[in-house]
Amino acid sequence: MKLFTSESVTEGHPDKVCDQISDAVLDAILAKDPAAHVAVETTATTGVIHVMGEFNTTCWVDVPAIVRRVVREIGYDGPDKGFDGNTCGILTSIDGQSPDIAMGVNASLEARNGEEGDELSRTGAGDQGMMFGYACDETPELMPLSVSLSHGLAKRLAQVRKDGTLPYLRPDGKTQVTVEYDGEAVKRIAAIVVSTQHSEDVTLSQLQADVLEQVIRPVIPAALMDGETRIYINPTGRFVIGGPAGDTGLTGRKIIVDTYGGWGRHGGGSFSGKDPTKVDRSAAYAARWVAKNIVAAGLARRCEIELAYAIGKARPVSVMADTFGTGQVPDEVLTKAIQQVFDLRPGAIIRDLDLRRPIYQQLAAYGHMGREDLDVPWERRDRAQALLDAVQAL
């Protein structure tokens, strides 16, 4: 027996409020200037939001207006919610991008040395680091079941709050699912945790009954639950104070929620607020794209991809595939096929995944990976046959 647990958070969690603001600012800039370089971070605490970062752009956007819109859309639209997007204080600290960084991004090492002359080689990686992608065959979207169900619970909390099914719920919340495995196969759900912010006047017993019927049962497959499945709903007994009033929020502090719920490794870089020249974002999407196509092609049941970059250099310094013993061919062969089928230079990733578009705020809650509901390009299975062909030719 093996147990594995993943968590998710709702869009009203203070860290996710900050992620959504950062990506909304990025979207507003990309809508006017697709070539902009942007790195935005946000903090939130009781009554105050602070947006800071570096822009290199030809356009102007109204950052305070964007902040207020996002906070109100999340549901913090009055003092009874503990935070009010209409009246909160907003600070901005925006500078230009460092010319030292811009030099390497705008003209890669390969271009400066005359090694490669095509346009896609001109864009260098916006930072050094390693990025991981992961896929497995546990769910239709090829994501780990524990994080998929955790996201489903978090989205359902927001849905029943917004549509009035449970009007006493408030925006902040966290979910957690523990999956029990028999070997490599999913056996059952061992534990579920849901903690949700609520109004002062609802009783714990009513909230627990409503969340069980309206949130947990519609999301968790009945066949995976049994009499021994442990369910904890607001285990502290009270969750009235939430959002930025209950805990300081910060962009990039939920990177495991954003990716695979703890499955696979993580390079440590966050996504939100970064334009696609930042390989923390674009290469992580590319690594997911590669891993998903490998599993979709039947070349492995589980696959993790690592990409590593040097700042200012276009081509990755390393590419690695690990199929954890589930691969149909040796990992070394698969790695060679990947490099034949996928162009993993930042400029090529941006082109192939069409990343200079305002698509990012919608990803800033409930995960960046596995989002087939949003038809993002890195979730497509469009290179599966090409990988099969490449493997057969090696």
Side-chain angles (χ1 to χ4, degrees):
M1 180 184 73
K2 177 177 73 175
L3 300 177
F4 196 94
T5 302
S6 298
E7 73 160 353
S8 184
V9 298
T10 64
E11 61 210 61
H13 185 282
D15 294 331
K16 277 290 145 203
V17 171
C18 295
D19 285 346
Q20 290 166 92
I21 291 170
S22 295
D23 273 335
V25 172
L26 172 64
D27 279 354
I29 294 172
L30 290 178
K32 295 181 177 181
D33 180 9
H37 292 170
V38 181
V40 184
E41 296 189 59
T42 304
T43 63
T45 189
T46 305
V48 180
I49 289 174
H50 187 182
V51 179
M52 65 203 89
E54 298 81 44
F55 297 172
N56 188 354
T57 179
T58 60
C59 73
W60 177 87
V61 297
D62 189 341
V63 173
I66 294 168
V67 171
R68 296 194 189 282
R69 172 184 61 80
V70 172
V71 173
R72 289 194 299 262
E73 287 175 353
I74 289 169
Y76 291 118
D77 54 6
D80 60 315
K81 309 294 175 56
F83 197 87
D84 188 354
N86 298 297
T87 60
C88 66
I90 299 172
L91 305 173
T92 60
S93 303
I94 306 298
D95 292 311
Q97 185 185 46
S98 163
D100 295 341
I101 295 175
M103 179 176 64
V105 173
N106 296 334
S108 70
L109 179 66
E110 291 91 333
R112 282 179 279 129
N113 289 343
E115 298 169 12
E116 298 186 29
D118 70 304
E119 187 61 30
L120 293 176
S121 286
R122 289 196 58 79
T123 301
D127 202 351
Q128 72 174 48
M130 62 282 192
M131 299 83 211
F132 291 90
Y134 183 84
C136 63
D137 62 1
E138 290 181 14
T139 62
E141 67 274 21
L142 305 185
M143 286 285 285
L145 181 64
S146 54
V147 73
S148 181
L149 292 178
S150 294
H151 286 323
L153 291 171
K155 285 190 278 190
R156 181 66 181 170
L157 275 176
Q159 179 184 341
V160 298
R161 170 176 61 87
K162 291 180 176 181
D163 68 15
T165 301
L166 301 181
Y168 58 79
L169 295 186
R170 296 295 181 256
D172 198 358
K174 301 182 79 171
T175 61
Q176 187 173 286
V177 175
T178 301
V179 176
E180 180 180 329
Y181 291 83
D182 182 3
E184 294 296 314
V186 171
K187 182 178 180 182
R188 57 187 287 273
I189 303 301
I192 300 165
V193 183
V194 176
S195 295
T196 179
Q197 186 188 8
H198 57 85
S199 66
E200 185 85 45
D201 54 0
V202 66
T203 65
L204 178 62
S205 59
Q206 179 187 348
L207 182 145
Q208 289 176 331
D210 287 348
V211 168
L212 177 63
E213 291 304 316
Q214 299 294 335
V215 177
I216 293 175
R217 295 202 187 282
V219 172
I220 306 297
L224 293 178
M225 297 176 64
D226 56 33
E228 295 184 359
T229 299
R230 293 164 290 154
I231 298 175
Y232 305 97
I233 301 170
N234 280 28
T236 64
R238 176 183 167 89
F239 188 0
V240 173
I241 300 172
D247 191 11
T248 299
L250 176 65
T251 298
R253 210 156 51 180
K254 285 290 175 282
I255 57 176
I256 301 304
V257 171
D258 286 341
T259 51
Y260 308 102
W263 286 95
R265 287 162 280 200
H266 199 295
S270 63
F271 304 152
S272 290
K274 298 177 181 178
D275 77 80
T277 64
K278 309 294 190 297
V279 284
D280 281 337
R281 167 165 245 157
S282 54
Y285 293 163
R288 163 64 178 171
W289 185 34
V290 175
K292 185 169 186 177
N293 274 270
I294 288 169
V295 175
L299 289 166
R301 294 190 58 209
R302 287 203 294 144
C303 182
E304 181 182 76
I305 301 298
E306 184 196 34
L307 307 176
Y309 292 83
I311 187 168
K313 190 177 186 303
R315 293 197 178 273
V317 298
S318 71
V319 178
M320 181 275 292
D322 186 349
T323 59
F324 308 96
T326 71
Q328 298 300 305
V329 297
D331 290 345
E332 295 80 4
V333 172
L334 197 52
T335 299
K336 290 179 181 178
I338 290 165
Q339 294 177 86
Q340 291 182 13
V341 172
F342 294 90
D343 189 338
L344 297 170
R345 295 173 294 172
I349 294 170
I350 292 168
R351 176 201 63 188
D352 293 341
L353 298 182
D354 197 10
L355 296 180
R356 293 196 184 276
R357 298 178 293 140
I359 60 172
Y360 298 109
Q361 184 188 346
Q362 63 183 342
L363 293 160
Y366 314 118
H368 293 244
M369 311 304 178
R371 299 302 301 273
E372 292 187 346
D373 56 317
L374 301 178
D375 191 31
V376 288
W378 54 93
E379 292 300 321
R380 296 175 186 166
R381 309 172 193 217
D382 51 352
R383 301 286 176 96
Q385 186 58 52
L387 279 167
L388 286 169
D389 295 343
V391 165
Q392 290 171 3
L394 287 171

